[in-house]
Structures are given as structure tokens and as C-alpha cells.
Amino acid sequence: MIVAERKPIAELTSRLAPYRRILVVGCNTCVAVCSAGGAKEVAVTSALLRIALGREHPETRVDETCVERQCEVEMNAELAPSLGNYEVILSMACGVGVQTLAEQFNTAVVIPALNTKFMGRPEGLGEWSERCAGCGNCVLERYAGVCPITRCSKNLLNGPCGGSANGRCEVDPERLPCAWQLIYDRWVALGQLDRYLTNEPAKDWSSSLHGGPRRIQREDIR
Amino acid sequence: MSPVSRLQSLLERREFTVSAELGPPKGPNIEVITTKIGLLRGMCDAVNVTDNQTAIVRISSAATCALLVQQGIEPIMQMTCRDRNRLAIQADLFGAVALGVRNLLCLSGDHQVFGNHPTAKNVFDLDSVQMIGMVKRLRDEGLTLGGEPVDGAMPMFIGGAANPFGDPFELQVLRALKKANAGVQFIQTQCIYDMVRFREWMKRVTDLGIPEHVHILAGVMPLKSAGAARYINNNVAGIYVPDPIVKRMSAAGKGQKARDEGIRITAEIIEQVREIPGVHGVHIMAVEWEEAVQPLTEMAGLLPRPVLAEGE
């Protein structure tokens, strides 16, 4: 899923300071699952904003709502009738949701409440880790199911570098395992270490963001 | 193919070679480079010029190498994948070759978090194994990575790095083989303090037949103090200074006495690595302490350096 984190309240307060009528819009999909922008976080954030913004301007109105998937135009249609009542939308969706609202409601000011972080998964309570960089040409089969592009700090396809010690990455040993240790351990477990000896050629990055913004068109569905 | 550099010539006639390292200044101060050249001249066969080492911005490796060539010192140009994509690496290599650089050390590069621009975007379009393959193709096939002909010859002696002290150990052995398969001709290792581990790594790479095709140059770094040794152990992943060395440094005291002991220990390490089959030279990393190279090479019996006849 897409993992996001809410911006600090102070940052949101400063961005919203010029406005008196604010609509906070959450999203019930990825960001709800990672406890960043679902109905619960919308309620908490709205309450905090009412207190913070109400100190100087008690007339400030912060209303809240949540849509099922903010990245889909159809799901946001329900917002249209009430938008005239607000000066600004604080979107608690990922960057895709924020952009969808901005594109869909072209006279609305839309401000992001979250920092969209990565595609990842939960690691127990209150912790998430990045697992996919969306490079557009999956190599996981060649690395025993561990992504060196996402999980190696230098994206090495023929790693490891010299900074792998005791299974940890030198960039942040406390938090980061060395991807190449993980790949190695899997290869050994699977009896596939010989795969390492095939040199991986220079990657074609044109399928990734480095090739420019991407779009998928599927004739079988259109 | 005849040797393209002094370093290659010496290695091919089985001289035990000495390379040193020159850290370029953090700006266009040529005087610093000239001073360091003065400290290294006659002490070694070639000089590594670092490329934004530890991700700290310095005058470019290519420009510094060109200055070395002008002053009659043979450079080994370090080139990292961190700051350049495949276009920039090839372009800089063309420039370096045109300016007389012949030895290249292909590196992934230290991560930018360790440097003075931690908020930078890194590149890592290629890794060091892929860079080695690309350079070999430029040289041997006269083709860019994209497949177009190179306008002019690319005489290069291609090097890479290895860390016998990094993990997982088995991959640090096999990675040298991957580099050999990609076309590397010499390998400089990470600084050696732990002889037990280095011997084991050498045994493993020798079992794989690597030294038959690749010259291995053992990396050494003189310690300035016991504090420096402890700093390495606590903060630098992939280098380990064993306790007996830390204790010797502590016992030596501070200042010049400690520095002398650091040089003595390094000379002893050089003597030991020299005896290991497959080690064809030593690479001295006296980072920002180029003054140490003369007493060290003298103590290790590495002077005078051989002189090559004209055209050799």
C-alpha cells in the first residue's frame, strides 16, 4: 500500500492561517490503513486545527469528511455540492488524492496534510517499511524476492558494497538491514547462490520515473 | 595487449607496486595539489585521486588527475557511480583519456549521508560492476554502453575495489570474481588491520583463480592515534581494527609518538601482506596525511621505486 505520514500540526496551522472556512477530506483506502489520513485521523487533525486556529480566529470553521478513494474522480463527486462553503480543502489523502481533488475541482484551493512516503508494508505496530520503488520492470525473481533497488541504499544490482556489517546497512544500521545480506540469506536457503555469479547488466530505467511520468493504457479494458 | 600505464607495466613484470592516495582540496587550490605531489613524488608508482571522497565536495578527480599528468605523476582516477549517470561517466572518461589519464578505479561511491551534502539526490544509475563492464566495452570494442562507436582509442587500465572485511563475507569474495568477469585488471582492497580475515579472503579469491587475472593491491592506512582506531571501530562499517593494534596505539601515547607507532604498525602489515601469494602491491591510504608516505615506504623497504625505461 501507499504509506504516508501526517505533516506536523504547526506546519498545517501555518499553511491554513489565512483561511476561515476549511474542509478536511480524508481517504478510506491506503492512508486509512496506515493510520495517516482515514476517518479517525481526520477527526483528530480537525480537532487539533480547531484549537490551534481558533486561538486567534474563533470564527474559524473546520468541517470534516472522508471519501472512499480520493484518487478516483467518481468517489469525490459527493464533495461537489458543499465545496462552495469552503475557502480551502485540506486533503488527508496521498499525493495522488490531493492532485485528483485539485484537477477535479479547479476553483478549489487544495493543501496536502500528509507527506506521501512510499509503497510499503507494516512492520508491527506503528512502523512501516518501503518495499517497492515502482521501477516498472520487476527484478524480484532474480533476487530471491528481495528488492535491491528499493532496499539497498545505493540500489546496487551487483552488491553488496563494502558498508555491510553484521547484516546492517551503514547508512542507518539501527533501522536498515543490508538488502544484500537478506538476498544472500535467501539464496543460501534456496540453494541458489550460483545466481549471484551472473552479472546483472545496466538497468533500463526508462520504465521507471527516470523515463518521465508514466501511464498505462490497456486496450483489453478500454 | 601492451601495458597502457606505468602501473600496469610494473605489475605485469611482477614488481611489487606501491600506490598512494591524494585527497584533492575543497576548492580550486592548485597549491595544495602541488604540495601533495611533492610529498608523494618518488615514493610510489601511481597516485589515486579520490572522487568526492566520503561524499564531500572537492575539485574533480579528472581535473586533479590532469594536473598530476602535467607534473609527471601517474594518476589512478577514482570514479564513482554516486554522482554521475552513464552519460556523464563516459563523457568524463573520454575527457580523462584525452588528458592522459590511463588508470581508472571504478567505485560505487560512499553514500551521500556521510558527506557535506546529505540532502543531495544520488544517481547510482550503474553500479561498480556495471561500470567496469562499460569501460571494458569502451576500450575493447570501441562502443559506448548505448552501442555507438567511440571516436578515438580508450587505453585504460581498469581497476576496482574490494572489501574483505565487509559482510556477507562469501559475497565479498564472489564479488571480486564478478568484477574479474566484468573486466577488472587490478583490485585495491579496503584498509587491512585484521590479517586473519584478510588471509582468509585472499585464500578464497586465490582458490577462485582471481589473482591469475587480476592484480590485488592490499590497502593500508596508517593510524594517527588510538582515538582514530576506536573511531573506525565505532563508526566505520566494514573496517575493523583488532584489539592488539588499538592497545599498541594507546601504549604509544599521543602526538608524534602515536603517529610513529601508526607508521610502524603499517610497515609491519605491509611486510605481512607482501608474503601472501596473489598480493602484487600495496595501496597506501594516508588520507590527509600524505607526509606519512615517505617514512612508511622507507621503513617497509619499498624505496627506491623502480624506474621504467623510455617506451617500457
Side-chain angles (χ1 to χ4, degrees), chain B residues 22 24 46 51 58 91 101 131 133 137 142 156 165 183 191 199-200 209 232 253 259 270 292 295 297 300 308:
Chain B
L22 186 152
D51 177 17
R58 295 169 183 276
V101 177
M131 196 207 295
R137 182 176 156 98
M156 298 237 81
F165 315 101
C191 321
R199 280 183 210 282
E200 177 60 22
I232 287 172
R259 286 196 286 273
I270 292 173
T297 47
L308 279 180

Side-chain angles (χ1 to χ4, degrees), chain B residues 275-303:
Chain B
E275 299 304 319
I276 301 173
V279 175
H280 296 170
V282 67
H283 175 57
I284 301 168
M285 290 168 268
V287 185
E288 295 304 311
W289 189 23
E290 286 82 355
E291 295 84 350
V293 177
Q294 182 184 4
L296 176 57
T297 47
E298 216 167 74
M299 192 179 289
L302 297 168
L303 298 181

Side-chain angles (χ1 to χ4, degrees), chain A residues 153-166 170-171 181 184 193 196-203 205, chain B residues 86 108-109 111 113-114 122 124-127 129-130 145 163 166-168 170-172 174-175 177-178 182 237-238:
Chain A
S153 295
K154 299 179 185 173
N155 330 130
L156 302 181
L157 294 174
N158 297 284
C161 73
S164 172
N166 306 313
E170 65 174 346
V171 168
Q181 179 75 52
Y184 172 73
L193 189 58
Y196 180 62
L197 293 176
T198 305
N199 282 1
E200 183 72 18
K203 186 172 166 68
W205 294 107
Chain B
R86 59 192 79 182
S108 295
H111 196 274
V113 296
F114 299 109
N122 61 34
F124 296 117
D125 173 25
L126 304 177
D127 63 29
V129 174
Q130 293 161 347
L145 190 58
N163 187 359
D167 291 327
E170 191 170 11
L171 291 193
Q172 301 288 358
L174 294 174
R175 196 161 188 245
L177 182 61
K178 282 170 76 89

